[in-house]
Amino acid sequence: MELKYTRKNVYKEADGKQLKAIYKYAEGYKKFLDESKTERGAAHAAERLAIEHGYKPFSFAEKLKAGDKRYFINRQKNVFLIKVGSENVEEHGVRIMVAHVDSPRLDIKPNPVYEESGLCYLKTHYYGGVKKYQWTALPLALHGVVMLPDGKSVEVCVGEDDNDPIFYITDILPHLGREQAAKPLGTAIPGESLNAVIGALPAVDDEEEKETVKAAILKLLNKKYGLTEIDFQCSELCLVPAGKARDVGFDGALIASYGHDDKVCAYPEMTALFESENSPHTIISVFSDKEEVGSDGTTGAQSRIICDVIDTIANSFGANPIIVRYNSKCISADVTAGFDPEFASVFEKRNTTYINCGAAISKYTGSGGKGGSNDANAEYVGWLRDIFDKNGVYWQMGELGAIDAGGGGTVAKFIANLGIDTIDVGVPVLSMHAPYELISKADVYSLYQACLAFCK
Ligand code: MN
Ligand code: MN
């Protein structure tokens, strides 16, 4: 019996076969990342994969039975994958895994297009917790949907193909940046200055003298998408970093990408569900939207819809939904801040999670004395520990940073508020919420193993 606890490095423990499995799994994950720049992209990808795995559309009016596999895409942005098991749902509840598929980005304002000094711009409104200075001087891609009159819609994706143009937010050159450099990081780039250049070619044949570049861009947009300026008011468009997920380091042990938070948890929970066909449990895998702005609205984790889905399952079997929820268990699969030796002071090194050391459990999150946190019950943590250990899952436990450094939350509390035992299990991330975030292939694979164990 080991008296002393020592955190294990997955790469040190893994044999050749395991290492191969870790690297192979990462290839599938990177492909999913590249398809899932926005929650709509992730929902598309999930729908496609679910259909490939024999899932059929879900209906609230349906009576489900054991063996059924259903997918429900709520308003193009929020995904429920449901696998109905053979065991009694009232007695055993359901197993729920929730990750979010929205990531910090720059949303486009309702009246976004303007021209200034011969350049045409799009005005943005940043979404979620971004460090604004990180979003200038890098290639940006435009994603989303625009509603045209009469219910027609058009999908937009510009900047991901090598032949596409990209969009660009300027910054001050260092030669003239003396005043800017003296400002605190948080105020050096004001939100209202995050305007992206979208054109520079004036319409020479235009009779109007003003805004000739804007006129030319509107003409281009009308030709390509059939849209007029007012249609931006009925759109959901955003700018995200252009480009694909990339291996990092000579050994390729890490992956840098936009949007690891929280696709790095969405992919493991989904793939684990697909691998759990023969599990007796009823399992729900949820891709949630709006986590980065508080989980409100029809597609966020605070929506009643998650309850409605559980109730639909309960009603299918004539079970009491209250008892089903009470006996259910949830993994809130979200990222946490991995220890960064370059910024060691914001962590408490004995109670943080480390890159390469496996799935990261956060018993609680919150800030200012666990404020606003789901603090999982010891009994539930113990139950999960046993499951992970019996299945050889590499896991570690830590807090999100040092006590007074700040803090953060996840969807865990919203699921727990339904009376469902919930705990955060995710992946440690470096540079979280940056345009490019960093994770370990060993950790995303460990979370996949953890989700498999939870579904088993
Ligand atoms: Mn997150
Ligand atoms: Mn986040």
Side-chain angles (χ1 to χ4, degrees):
M1 189 199 287
E2 200 74 52
L3 283 183
K4 206 175 136 197
Y5 165 70
T6 334
R7 185 179 289 105
K8 288 187 176 121
N9 182 311
V10 181
Y11 281 135
K12 271 189 196 163
E13 304 288 321
D15 58 23
K17 201 178 142 205
Q18 285 168 320
L19 200 60
K20 217 173 153 189
I22 289 169
Y23 274 61
K24 192 178 168 216
Y25 187 77
E27 293 307 308
Y29 170 49
K30 283 187 286 181
K31 197 165 166 274
F32 174 74
L33 269 176
D34 294 340
E35 281 182 86
S36 306
K37 287 294 190 81
T38 64
E39 57 278 1
R40 285 175 187 269
H44 274 300
E47 182 174 18
R48 183 176 56 74
L49 290 166
I51 292 169
E52 275 175 31
H53 284 86
Y55 280 66
K56 300 266 183 304
F58 167 84
S59 155
F60 286 112
E62 187 184 13
K63 245 190 161 39
L64 294 159
K65 55 185 191 312
D68 283 347
K69 296 186 290 183
R70 296 290 180 265
Y71 69 89
F72 171 38
I73 313 293
N74 173 25
R75 295 169 171 91
Q76 314 301 323
K77 295 185 277 187
N78 169 214
V79 178
F80 294 84
L81 303 178
I82 303 147
K83 186 205 76 75
V84 184
S86 55
E87 72 185 3
N88 184 301
V89 285
E90 203 170 83
E91 203 179 320
H92 298 277
V94 297
R95 305 253 163 129
I96 308 160
M97 300 175 288
V98 192
H100 67 90
V101 287
D102 61 318
S103 300
R105 61 182 187 234
L106 304 177
D107 280 346
I108 305 306
K109 289 197 185 200
N111 291 303
V113 190
Y114 70 97
E115 178 174 340
E116 189 62 61
S117 308
L119 293 173
C120 188
Y121 292 89
L122 269 188
K123 291 200 72 63
T124 72
H125 190 142
Y126 65 89
Y127 171 95
V130 303
K131 292 168 100 174
K132 285 166 279 183
Y133 72 89
Q134 293 179 333
W135 291 76
T136 66
L138 82 168
L140 297 167
L142 186 68
H143 288 254
V145 65
V146 183
M147 296 305 296
L148 306 179
D150 302 320
K152 274 182 263 169
S153 73
V154 54
E155 301 237 353
V156 177
C157 176
V158 181
E160 301 294 354
D161 190 277
D162 283 347
N163 299 312
D164 279 356
I166 51 99
F167 306 98
Y168 189 91
I169 296 171
T170 57
D171 196 357
I172 305 175
L173 61 166
H175 317 62
L176 301 178
R178 203 173 291 165
E179 194 187 315
Q180 184 198 43
K183 286 181 182 170
L185 273 180
T187 60
I189 302 286
E192 293 294 356
S193 75
L194 290 174
N195 303 312
V197 175
I198 60 162
L201 193 67
V204 279
D205 58 336
D206 207 284
E207 283 164 24
E208 289 174 71
E209 278 181 24
K210 286 177 187 170
E211 300 199 322
T212 53
V213 181
K214 176 174 170 177
I217 289 290
L218 287 177
K219 237 179 236 173
L220 270 176
L221 291 174
N222 186 260
K223 205 175 153 199
K224 187 165 181 191
Y225 301 108
L227 66 81
T228 61
E229 191 173 8
I230 195 171
D231 297 332
F232 279 104
Q233 297 185 13
C234 312
S235 74
E236 275 181 6
L237 291 168
C238 64
L239 288 167
V240 297
K244 293 186 158 86
R246 303 286 293 268
D247 285 356
V248 172
F250 289 114
D251 52 13
L254 309 174
I255 303 171
S257 174
Y258 168 68
H260 281 312
D261 178 8
D262 184 31
K263 268 77 84 174
V264 75
C265 299
Y267 186 70
E269 67 162 50
M270 175 177 67
T271 48
L273 172 68
F274 292 151
E275 289 300 310
S276 302
E277 293 250 320
N278 299 321
S279 164
H281 309 308
T282 293
I283 307 166
I284 309 175
S285 164
V286 187
F287 286 7
S288 191
D289 178 31
K290 297 284 180 284
E291 192 278 341
E292 297 295 357
V293 290
S295 297
D296 293 296
T298 50
T299 54
Q302 294 203 66
S303 161
R304 232 210 88 89
I305 284 193
I306 186 159
C307 224
D308 294 338
V309 169
I310 299 170
D311 291 2
T312 301
I313 296 168
N315 293 334
S316 294
F317 295 95
N320 182 335
I322 298 169
I323 304 174
V324 172
R325 286 199 298 274
Y326 193 81
N327 287 329
S328 292
K329 293 179 171 67
C330 176
I331 282 182
S332 159
D334 205 347
V335 298
T336 186
F339 180 76
D340 188 339
E342 297 296 333
F343 302 98
S345 67
V346 298
F347 298 93
E348 193 267 271
K349 65 181 183 187
R350 288 174 186 85
N351 284 284
T352 187
T353 55
Y354 289 79
I355 212 121
N356 298 336
C357 292
I361 303 183
S362 303
K363 185 175 180 294
Y364 48 85
T365 57
S367 60
K370 299 192 179 183
S373 165
N374 161 60
D375 193 344
N377 297 303
E379 290 81 355
Y380 185 50
V381 189
W383 176 84
L384 200 66
R385 185 263 296 263
D386 287 343
I387 281 183
F388 286 174
D389 286 349
K390 273 176 200 151
N391 288 283
V393 175
Y394 292 107
W395 62 273
Q396 53 181 328
M397 187 180 281
E399 297 182 323
L400 193 146
I403 292 170
D404 290 330
T410 67
V411 301
K413 61 178 173 181
F414 306 124
I415 311 301
N417 288 349
L418 301 174
I420 297 171
D421 269 322
T422 306
I423 189 164
D424 279 298
V425 185
V427 166
V429 177
L430 302 191
S431 301
M432 194 197 293
H433 284 205
Y436 260 61
E437 304 172 312
L438 194 62
I439 62 104
S440 162
K441 290 179 182 176
D443 296 332
V444 62
Y445 186 76
S446 296
L447 180 61
Y448 166 60
Q449 298 290 308
C451 291
L452 276 177
F454 180 72
C455 291
K456 205 166 154 181

